[in-house]
Amino acid sequence: MNSIYLGLKFVFSYFSIIPVKFKKEDDLSQKEVLNYTMFFLPLVGFVLGTITVILYNFLDALPILGAIIASCVYFVLYGFIHTEAVLDIVDAIYAKHSGKDAYKIIKEPTVGAIGVLYSVVFVILKVAAFSFLLINQLYLELIAITITSRMGIQFTTYFSTFKSTFVNLLSNSFRGKTFLISTVFYSLLILFLTKFSFLFFILLSFLLAILLAAFIKKILGFLNGDALGVVLESLEILLSVSVLFLWL
């Protein structure tokens, strides 16, 4: 039971800015703790997405500006960690084209102009997509997207290998039974939140996640935590656009 509690705390402390306190004796490196950390990952999306929707409803007097503010706050709620990954991966891709060591570039603290431009484009696209969802009161769809994108990360982590000690530890700790239960549980949650047809987006998320991960691995020759960040950001944009096409 303690492993479940620690896994829940760890996933929010690592993948969001929600303040979480740990005790000195808490051992977060245990496989059982990391197993539940992965199980609760989509729950982070549910909480952050719900906060975003609630904030927008407080700002409903300013519909367009309120939607933009709420969408930007969503980035803040996870500390821009996934957006930063876009910057690093793009820098690595362009460095690879120049014959440099892509993995070494990712680890460098400096950033390149191209990476910055791409990350800005990702932010603009997602703010625009999320704002449109909010303005048109597609609240449950937005929350479902924030859950489903992280289900895609679960899927990628479970079926891929990584050039990252921490991500490999997460992957090796994430048991098949837990992955199956998680997929069923969050699929039912999305079914409860939205129409049955939205289950299509779970399959779409898994498919896109694998394709995006395969694309990054083909170019760089490896996957790491930053690659997962790019997959998540890409999924949220692509899923948002898919919802908008269906809605229209």
Side-chain angles (χ1 to χ4, degrees):
M1 197 67 184
N2 188 55
S3 296
I4 297 176
Y5 180 56
L6 285 178
L8 178 61
K9 291 205 301 181
F10 185 37
V11 76
F12 277 96
S13 70
Y14 193 87
F15 293 102
S16 79
I17 64 167
I18 295 175
V20 178
K21 291 184 178 180
F22 293 97
K23 299 177 182 178
K24 290 184 178 179
E25 61 269 22
D26 290 340
D27 184 2
L28 302 177
S29 63
Q30 296 181 62
K31 283 193 171 184
E32 195 67 12
V33 173
L34 296 176
N35 177 51
Y36 287 112
T37 296
M38 289 302 300
F39 174 83
F40 287 119
L41 180 57
L43 183 62
V44 176
F46 173 77
V47 172
L48 302 190
T50 301
I51 292 173
T52 302
V53 169
I54 292 173
L55 176 60
Y56 172 69
N57 279 275
F58 272 112
L59 301 170
D60 61 352
L62 305 167
I64 297 178
L65 180 59
I68 294 173
I69 292 173
S71 300
C72 289
V73 167
Y74 177 69
F75 285 96
V76 175
L77 289 172
Y78 60 74
F80 288 92
I81 182 174
H82 311 305
T83 313
E84 182 186 359
V86 173
L87 193 156
D88 289 335
I89 289 295
V90 171
D91 278 348
I93 289 174
Y94 276 84
K96 179 104 174 180
H97 290 330
S98 302
K100 298 179 182 178
D101 186 334
Y103 191 73
K104 187 177 180 180
I105 294 297
I106 285 180
K107 292 299 182 181
E108 288 183 356
T110 55
V111 298
I114 300 297
V116 172
L117 291 173
Y118 268 85
S119 61
V120 169
V121 168
F122 267 75
V123 169
I124 292 173
L125 287 174
K126 195 155 85 170
V127 168
F130 273 33
S131 295
F132 195 89
L133 290 172
L134 291 169
I135 292 170
N136 289 282
Q137 299 182 358
L138 298 170
Y139 304 138
L140 296 179
E141 285 78 5
L142 186 149
I143 294 172
I145 286 169
T146 61
I147 297 170
T148 310
S149 61
R150 287 162 176 81
M151 291 176 68
I153 296 303
Q154 285 181 321
F155 188 84
T156 307
T157 303
Y158 185 77
F159 287 104
S160 305
T161 56
F162 298 85
K163 193 174 181 179
S164 166
T165 303
F166 175 66
V167 182
N168 270 329
L169 185 58
L170 284 174
S171 179
N172 294 332
S173 301
F174 195 23
R175 298 198 305 265
K177 182 179 178 181
T178 307
F179 173 59
L180 179 60
I181 294 173
S182 174
T183 300
V184 172
F185 175 79
Y186 291 111
S187 296
L188 291 174
L189 176 58
I190 292 172
L191 173 60
F192 175 77
L193 290 173
T194 63
K195 298 177 181 179
F196 182 79
S197 60
F198 199 87
L199 289 177
F200 163 75
F201 286 94
I202 296 173
L203 299 176
L204 179 63
S205 177
F206 286 172
L207 176 62
L208 289 174
I210 286 298
L211 291 176
L212 288 165
F215 175 73
I216 295 171
K217 187 172 184 179
K218 182 178 180 180
I219 294 177
L220 296 181
F222 63 86
L223 294 174
N224 66 345
D226 289 318
L228 289 177
V230 173
V231 170
L232 187 143
E233 291 290 350
S234 301
L235 282 177
E236 293 194 335
I237 293 172
L238 293 172
L239 291 173
S240 296
V241 172
S242 299
V243 169
L244 295 177
F245 271 116
L246 284 181
W247 181 77
L248 292 173

